[in-house]
Amino acid sequence: MVGGSRLRAWKATLGGLMVVLAALTACAGPYQYYEGTGIHDTTAGEVAGGWENVEGTRVVLRKDGTALLEKLDGQDFDFEDGWRLSGTGTWQLTDDNGGQVVRLTLTARTRAESRPTATATDTSTPEPPSTYAWSFYVDRDQNDELKLFFFHGDPDIGNTYVMTRETGS
């Protein structure tokens, strides 16, 4: 009988551990463990130029490290607030173990507006920031064309906000 009690105690402990592990990993979406695209061969000259999104966003990354932003949405959970920022800023191409990232910083906001399809859950939407920073992952599509993206919304879902080369650029 003593062996049966130990076995039940062992099963209960193991079951409890499984519940704790399940709870800890329940919020671990694809973004939370994203390590980058593995792209390391892009130059700043390739990244410079006009970029657009299907939502009407436009970003111009100038060769001198300055940037022009029009209607750029917030990254991560800030996307849920529904604001879109326009203005000027700076950018730089960085490289780490996971791949290259474009760091874009809005330094002077000229306009803030709401996205028409905003999903803000609170009627008292926070004031859009006057400065903001984004991190765009650098990737290539199936035709080896550059694309820039960041994750937005709930990280468990893994939604991406993709910027492609501006038509005509």
Side-chain angles (χ1 to χ4, degrees):
M1 288 285 183
V2 175
S5 294
R6 280 191 191 151
L7 184 58
R8 278 193 298 271
W10 176 248
K11 285 181 180 179
T13 301
L14 187 58
L17 180 59
M18 294 301 286
V19 168
V20 169
L21 287 174
L24 289 174
T25 60
C27 295
Y31 163 66
Q32 291 176 323
Y33 297 112
Y34 189 71
E35 295 182 14
T37 61
I39 302 290
H40 297 282
D41 63 349
T42 306
T43 66
E46 285 181 279
V47 174
W51 295 89
E52 63 187 357
N53 178 285
V54 295
E55 299 288 326
T57 299
R58 182 171 182 261
V59 174
V60 177
L61 305 174
R62 297 183 182 121
K63 289 182 181 183
D64 66 358
T66 61
L68 174 66
L69 296 75
E70 294 177 20
K71 301 179 182 179
L72 187 54
D73 296 285
Q75 187 170 336
D76 299 325
F77 280 113
D78 291 338
F79 183 84
E80 303 298 332
D81 291 338
W83 45 256
R84 309 185 89 196
L85 302 177
S86 298
T88 58
T90 61
W91 72 277
Q92 65 177 337
L93 179 64
T94 64
D95 197 347
D96 61 27
N97 291 339
Q100 291 175 299
V101 175
V102 171
R103 310 268 184 216
L104 176 62
T105 304
L106 174 72
T107 56
R109 185 181 84 186
T110 57
R111 188 173 69 243
E113 56 193 82
S114 294
R115 189 174 56 255
T117 58
T119 58
T121 55
D122 187 1
T123 56
S124 61
T125 314
E127 176 68 24
S130 56
T131 61
Y132 194 79
W134 294 264
S135 294
F136 286 91
Y137 293 102
V138 177
D139 201 4
R140 295 189 186 276
D141 65 16
Q142 64 275 13
N143 298 319
D144 207 34
E145 298 293 326
L146 283 180
K147 65 180 180 178
L148 307 176
F149 72 93
F150 61 76
F151 291 97
H152 68 85
D154 185 342
D156 290 336
I157 297 172
N159 289 328
T160 55
Y161 191 93
V162 180
M163 301 288 292
T164 56
R165 188 63 71 182
E166 192 171 50
T167 307
S169 287

